[in-house]
Amino acid sequence: MTPLFEIIEAEEINYFSVPPHTAKLLIVLDETALSEGFSSLQSFSSTDIRLHFIVQTKQKKKQILSSYPELSFHPIDCLVTVSSERLLSILRIQFIGTRLVVSGSSSFVKTIREAAETAGFSDEEMQLKVIGSQKVAVFCVKCYSRHERNDEDLFLCPSCRTELDVSPHYSKRHDAYLGHIRI
């Protein structure tokens, strides 16, 4: 099963790649991703790519810049909540070809992804990385129910008690991987 988001541990932080001919990266992070993954983002600073940071934090911009002085060379927006209209307005004014790099908790990444899709970003324009654990849901094709998946290889639908094979196909509509009847 291919995960919708790649789950990484703090020590596996060097994970982002830049497609050729990228002019601008919009980097959206929560505080955990900033503190644990900033070293991997420093490699972008040595390129000709324009960077714009959006950080979900309760800290003031001044505090962030004193902790990470390298950020002072790039535009940075500090948002208390990612569900704000400010985030959507920033996403909507981006030029075609801007790439979006998102890192943080599972719920943070999901919220940013939904806002980015609303603003017109495609899947190809986004790199999404979840730090920490992620709950995976399975959609049963027999009874049309959606359930959280356990870590076992065999998935038994709690609603209809059918054994399911979990496919790598992710349904955005159901926010779950499709579970096909095991033959």
Side-chain angles (χ1 to χ4, degrees):
M1 179 173 71
T2 307
L4 175 64
F5 308 118
E6 183 178 336
I7 300 172
I8 59 169
E9 299 301 323
E11 53 274 357
E12 300 177 45
I13 276 313
N14 203 1
Y15 46 71
F16 292 117
S17 62
V18 181
H21 310 294
T22 298
K24 182 177 180 182
L25 283 176
L26 185 59
I27 301 170
V28 187
L29 309 164
D30 65 7
E31 282 191 67
T32 304
L34 181 63
S35 63
E36 294 183 4
F38 187 72
S39 61
S40 69
L41 300 173
Q42 289 177 322
S43 61
F44 292 141
S45 296
S46 61
T47 66
D48 292 333
I49 299 170
R50 290 181 300 150
L51 304 177
H52 184 154
F53 289 87
I54 300 174
V55 181
Q56 179 191 13
T57 180
K58 292 182 176 150
Q59 297 180 44
K60 301 282 187 207
K61 183 176 179 178
K62 193 176 198 179
Q63 293 170 304
I64 295 287
L65 292 175
S66 69
S67 299
Y68 305 97
E70 300 89 347
L71 290 177
S72 62
F73 301 108
H74 308 287
I76 180 169
D77 289 288
C78 295
L79 304 176
V80 175
T81 175
V82 293
S83 59
S84 69
E85 277 299 312
R86 175 79 178 121
L87 172 66
L88 202 51
S89 68
I90 292 169
L91 292 172
R92 284 188 172 144
I93 63 168
Q94 299 306 310
F95 294 106
I96 293 175
T98 298
R99 300 295 177 144
L100 185 63
V101 173
V102 182
S103 182
S105 68
S106 179
S107 61
F108 174 82
V109 171
K110 184 178 174 186
T111 301
I112 299 298
R113 180 175 162 262
E114 289 169 355
E117 287 175 343
T118 300
F121 280 84
S122 67
D123 288 340
E124 291 77 25
E125 294 171 319
M126 294 185 267
Q127 291 186 54
L128 310 171
K129 302 294 178 182
V130 172
I131 294 179
S133 63
Q134 174 186 0
K135 291 184 179 180
V136 176
V138 176
F139 181 78
C140 178
V141 296
K142 182 177 180 189
C143 69
Y144 308 112
S145 62
R146 182 185 175 280
H147 301 282
E148 297 296 319
R149 181 176 184 196
N150 50 21
D151 291 335
E152 299 172 14
D153 290 334
L154 175 67
F155 183 78
L156 188 63
C157 176
S159 297
C160 66
R161 310 297 298 162
T162 302
E163 289 184 9
L164 300 174
D165 284 323
V166 181
S167 84
H169 179 81
Y170 180 79
S171 168
K172 287 183 185 178
R173 179 178 175 198
H174 298 292
D175 188 24
Y177 290 93
L178 297 181
H180 300 285
I181 299 171
R182 179 170 268 192
I183 300 175

